[in-house]
Amino acid sequence: MSKQRFFEAFLAYAGLNMVLAAAAAALCAFIAPSAAGSGIPEVKAYLNGIDAHSILAPTTLFVKIVGSILGVSAGFVVGKEGPMVHTGACIASILGQGGSKKYGLTWSWLRYFKNDRDRRDMITCGAAAGVAAAFRSPVGGVLFALEEAASWWRSALLWRSFFTTAVVAIVLRAGIQFCSTGKCGLFGEGGLILYDVGSPQTEFSAGDIVAVIVLGTVAGILGSIYNFLVDKVVRTYSIINEKGPFFKIFLAVAISLLTSCCYYFLPWIANCIPCPTDSKVPCPSVDESGEYKIFQCPPGYYNDLASLFLNTNDDAIRNLFSPKITKEFHISSLFIFFATVYFLGILTYGIAVPSGLFIPVILAGAAYGRVVSRLFEPITQLDRGFFSLLGAASMLGGTMRMTVSICVILLELTNDLLLLPLVMLVLLISKSVADIFNKGVYDQILKIKGLPYLEAHAEPYMRNIATRDVVSGPLMTFSGIEKVGNILHVLNTTGHNGFPVIDEPPFVDAPELCGLVLRSYLLVLLKAKNFTREKVYANPSILENISVLDFGKAGSGKGVKLEDLDIQDEDLDMYVDLHPITNTSPYTVVETMSLAKAAILFRQHGLRHMCVVPKSQGRPPIVGILTRHDFMPEHVLGLYPDIKHHKWH
Amino acid sequence: MSKQRFFEAFLAYAGLNMVLAAAAAALCAFIAPSAAGSGIPEVKAYLNGIDAHSILAPTTLFVKIVGSILGVSAGFVVGKEGPMVHTGACIASILGQGGSKKYGLTWSWLRYFKNDRDRRDMITCGAAAGVAAAFRSPVGGVLFALEEAASWWRSALLWRSFFTTAVVAIVLRAGIQFCSTGKCGLFGEGGLILYDVGSPQTEFSAGDIVAVIVLGTVAGILGSIYNFLVDKVVRTYSIINEKGPFFKIFLAVAISLLTSCCYYFLPWIANCIPCPTDSKVPCPSVDESGEYKIFQCPPGYYNDLASLFLNTNDDAIRNLFSPKITKEFHISSLFIFFATVYFLGILTYGIAVPSGLFIPVILAGAAYGRVVSRLFEPITQLDRGFFSLLGAASMLGGTMRMTVSICVILLELTNDLLLLPLVMLVLLISKSVADIFNKGVYDQILKIKGLPYLEAHAEPYMRNIATRDVVSGPLMTFSGIEKVGNILHVLNTTGHNGFPVIDEPPFVDAPELCGLVLRSYLLVLLKAKNFTREKVYANPSILENISVLDFGKAGSGKGVKLEDLDIQDEDLDMYVDLHPITNTSPYTVVETMSLAKAAILFRQHGLRHMCVVPKSQGRPPIVGILTRHDFMPEHVLGLYPDIKHHKWH
């Protein structure tokens, strides 16, 4: 990059970025569309009980890893943290499925994980491991899994995820030790602690507190605006992306060009700053990882804005976190950097590239904190680097609305627990302020993606609706001993996954609810073809040629399918006893129970089906079945549009 | 304490200790027996849903604070951490009750907390604040509340407890800042970070790992032995304590004498060690807080064992955590100290004095870690102080079986996150090893106290029992419109707190379950005396002269009592409509549901009553009511003694 050939340099820079961006977008568009974006909302959805197609498939894993590397290399304002959480969850999911049959990787001992609960636990641990690896923050990883990812939490899960992140920490440290000889490029720099904000004061004045409160409040507002704009941008992009893979690639390339323009041309605005005389690192530097970029400046001077823009994200954050004595930035440079990263972060999310949100928000927040520290210089003694950290914390709190986990992650990044009280304060302020305006960014993305996420709390108006008022559709039930033809017909004509089984006379006096049978179990039973001519109870040998393992939860796209069945016409009039495969302890609620209470029950137990039974006698023994979709506010409001505005006394 | 008057010195030392011990025990014995012990099991029980008498009463709070100060001053091997958790919970509980009416302290805005859930949340935050204050560890406090104290966890609770501990941290820091001028004695020393283990290595050899694994394994065994012995000792003591208050005081004085003997006479065994020449603190010292005690040694020498024994617990721990270069102990001194503290800690718990378990275990663990570091000197390069910290962590893991919270508390104490991986490793090893042998020490104490604690998981044999098999006793039900006399009779003759309400003909076609009514609500309704002569539905005005607040959960010993009612004889034949106060959405389970599933439902929703409804029609609409006691393993095994040994296929 010689001084005289600026335009060629830009062409090379932007061109390379665009090629990398196109490659990342092509991978996402053609191979695994669900690998685009952060991945944290998807993991959150899966842990909430949503088995969406291909969220955690092996191809998603591959594209997520490669695409994330390409995306970060392309100079996008994206992070690697969200994708690493998704990666961790994918690996856990593949292990939880007992390996991938399609790719010939299976381990028989993993079959014990073939159930919903253990797979969910595995994936929670995987998400914790992702954060632990991305931020080198083992305790933060556990807290992230607890606060943001998991919908259900068991105390055993706490120490299991803790164990997972402990292993991550030890492996990471071994890797860093191995790489400390310089064999692995930039990896391993900084040990387990990435950033050092210098030793802070332990005493605060009233002015410091005022500055921090203002910082947190404004960050809360900025964070909620961020979420609002991300929401709008993602909705706009999804219209473009739906038109086809080439539109996806085009959009990614366009954003890449915009990013390159900002990064290349904005530093020209900045003034040159004389190098510090006592610097231990070369200043000015021309190579890719230096702290003081020469850019267009004369020797002995450096360009502060270029030091932020034309650097790795990690180094830019380290620059911003550095104490005042070590390095200083012009307030105009900081403001330009903040505005650029803030808006580019918004514009970049939603393109078909694996893109984390943590790094853009931390970058914007760190620059914002440093700007604020300049403004409050007269009243506060706090160090610039510390203010920058507080800015990053407050911006994270304002967008993601996590508290404990962000606090611990940032403290683990900087290794100074003395910072704790102010970081806690600023996080709580920004989260509380932002919560007034809208929801956290991940919740918004979940909603845009149309994933039926069950909130921990029911909507207030659900207290005034009984469960019987929302059960919908014709109810399909089976007799305890049912005709094979009927079962096949029902399986063919409906998409339900659970069916109530009713015991009928002459086996009992009056019809009564025997339990619930799953579609997958019915398919396994039909495949075994243990049918009888008469309507009689099956003898105990019916399950003999079926292994218990066949009933295990299959991986995505696996398990017995309706087309696999080989039922002859003469079988259709025969009977099969459903009792051996019926869950006789399904969760039931009375039809008059409030929907709010039923929703809490549904969510807390991680149910997929809930039986609604009648209150009075002399009626069929089941009123209906509630599934996840029946609890969605959209569904309820669709049935009762006026209920939200109704005044309840 | 002149050199020649050893015996007089001992008399003064032991005498003072015994007076303090007697005072502490007298407070516990006469005013608030439930203030004895750690308090953590009691808080855990309350948060599990056990409203045991006086656990969180104002008198308990007073005795806990004063008794804990006296107990620690008396030189017992006890900590202040457990009592501080209990103190925090008591304060939260008093706030949650809306102040104490008995002592004239009430705030009307606190009435919004008058329900089970909010009070429980308050107390969880109080427990977190206790740990945060005791260890100056805000994040550790949140994790402690999550991992050990709380039985139910909501995501909102996470940031509420986080907020509480943030306030604690800020108040603590303000206090320390105020005290840094030296006005407050020993308080405030060391800032927020109590112990400094020196800067550790970040690279570990295979020998280090082997040493740490051995350390953790042995600590797990020692921890489970500790728990076993505490169990035996507490059971023995409770026989003595039951004989009366004077036996309690006598026991406390006896243990105090034993402690004084150990602390005074054991240092005579130790050899004198020459003072380091470059020490910054006076060596040898004769005052109470010095690091190098002269004891019986000549000038220029110090007694290492006396430096541990005749010191505050905090200073002893700081001495043990200090790096090798700063201070050294004889291995024999360390071993004597370890054995003494280990066994005195066991013998002290269970006397009628507020006594935390954290400090004794940390002391024993730190000494143990330093002993192990001497033994493994040939193969490990790790610092003694770090080994001492690992020893404390492993011993805590072995007795209390917490992982994440202990890890974070220790890291917040020492302010060095670089220690994290090995601390995690050693905690997991010691917890896993100890879990083979017995349960955590708090769970054992809960069991000794006979508190019906509901475990998060049902026992395996409960899967083979249906709920109808455990409902017991004659079921008391009310009609929807019930005779006042009947209600009074039932309230007088039974102690139940919840009664099913059955709607009967002519109001409905066949009897059906209307809901559940609480004893406290019935009392409020009866007190208002809105009775009718005929069996008719009440008009809506029935609740007009009752405030909604009357139904709020009263504090301990408050609320309407049966004796407060003023029912005349002519009222007894009148009717009262129970519908307005009936909970028409009680949680119900079908009689054939497995007890294990019902137990999970009961615990996860924090229920007090669960209705069991019949499966088949034509029977009374309710089979029975399950309460907490029906899920206790003792109850179930009492009904079906053979079920545990039965083989299930």
Side-chain angles (χ1 to χ4, degrees), chain B residues 142-199:
Chain B
V142 174
L143 286 171
F144 171 83
L146 162 64
E147 191 173 7
E148 188 65 22
S151 289
W152 299 284
W153 192 261
R154 307 188 293 133
S155 63
L157 196 49
L158 195 67
W159 73 264
R160 281 178 198 166
S161 57
F162 187 66
F163 180 78
T164 316
T165 59
V167 171
V168 170
I170 288 167
V171 170
L172 255 182
R173 188 166 286 193
I176 289 168
Q177 197 169 338
F178 178 77
C179 289
S180 58
T181 47
K183 275 178 278 191
C184 326
L186 291 174
F187 176 77
E189 282 191 358
L192 268 192
I193 304 303
L194 287 180
Y195 310 113
D196 184 7
V197 296
S199 85

Side-chain angles (χ1 to χ4, degrees), chain B residues 189-251:
Chain B
E189 282 191 358
L192 268 192
I193 304 303
L194 287 180
Y195 310 113
D196 184 7
V197 296
S199 85
Q201 304 155 260
T202 54
E203 298 180 4
F204 310 123
S205 68
D208 300 341
I209 304 286
V210 170
V212 166
I213 290 172
V214 173
L215 178 89
T217 312
V218 176
I221 295 168
L222 285 174
S224 60
I225 295 173
Y226 195 95
N227 289 6
F228 174 78
L229 292 177
V230 163
D231 186 75
K232 294 288 165 233
V233 165
V234 171
R235 280 180 200 277
T236 315
Y237 283 2
S238 60
I239 298 169
I240 300 173
N241 285 340
E242 271 166 20
K243 292 189 180 160
F246 290 104
F247 283 88
K248 287 188 182 178
I249 297 172
F250 174 75
L251 186 62

Side-chain angles (χ1 to χ4, degrees), chain A residues 388-436:
Chain A
S388 187
L389 178 78
L390 289 177
S394 61
M395 201 65 96
L396 285 171
T399 52
M400 299 179 186
R401 315 291 160 85
M402 293 179 260
T403 52
V404 198
S405 43
I406 290 177
C407 182
V408 172
I409 287 172
L410 286 176
L411 293 178
E412 284 190 285
L413 280 177
T414 55
N415 192 27
D416 206 328
L417 289 162
L418 292 171
L419 313 171
L420 189 62
L422 284 190
V423 174
M424 284 174 117
L425 184 70
V426 86
L427 266 172
L428 286 165
I429 293 171
S430 67
K431 177 196 155 68
S432 311
V433 169
D435 272 344
I436 300 170

Side-chain angles (χ1 to χ4, degrees), chain A residues 138 146 173 202 204 412 415 417-418 420 428 512-513 585 594 597 601 604-605 615-619, chain B residues 138 146 163 173 202 204 412 415 417-418 420 512-513 585 594 597 601 604-605 615-619:
Chain A
L146 163 64
R173 187 164 288 194
T202 53
F204 310 121
E412 284 190 285
N415 192 27
L417 289 162
L418 292 171
L420 189 62
L428 286 165
E512 63 181 49
L513 179 66
S585 286
S594 77
K597 237 169 170 173
L601 181 69
Q604 284 206 351
H605 291 267
K615 186 186 181 99
S616 52
Q617 305 199 334
R619 291 167 47 198
Chain B
L146 162 64
F163 180 78
R173 188 166 286 193
T202 54
F204 310 123
E412 285 191 286
N415 192 28
L417 289 161
L418 292 171
L420 188 62
E512 62 182 48
L513 179 65
S585 286
S594 77
K597 239 169 169 173
L601 181 68
Q604 284 206 350
H605 291 267
K615 187 185 180 101
S616 52
Q617 305 198 333
R619 291 167 48 197

Side-chain angles (χ1 to χ4, degrees), chain A residues 324-378:
Chain A
K324 186 184 175 184
I325 43 158
T326 333
K327 202 167 310 147
E328 200 36 281
F329 300 93
H330 272 294
I331 188 162
S332 60
S333 304
L334 286 172
F335 187 79
I336 291 169
F337 184 73
F338 163 68
T340 314
V341 170
Y342 186 83
F343 289 107
L344 274 182
I346 293 168
L347 287 174
T348 309
Y349 195 85
I351 62 172
V353 164
S355 48
L357 275 171
F358 268 99
I359 289 293
V361 173
I362 291 179
L363 270 176
Y368 156 75
R370 237 177 146 97
V371 170
V372 173
S373 88
R374 300 293 289 260
L375 299 177
F376 278 101
E377 203 151 37

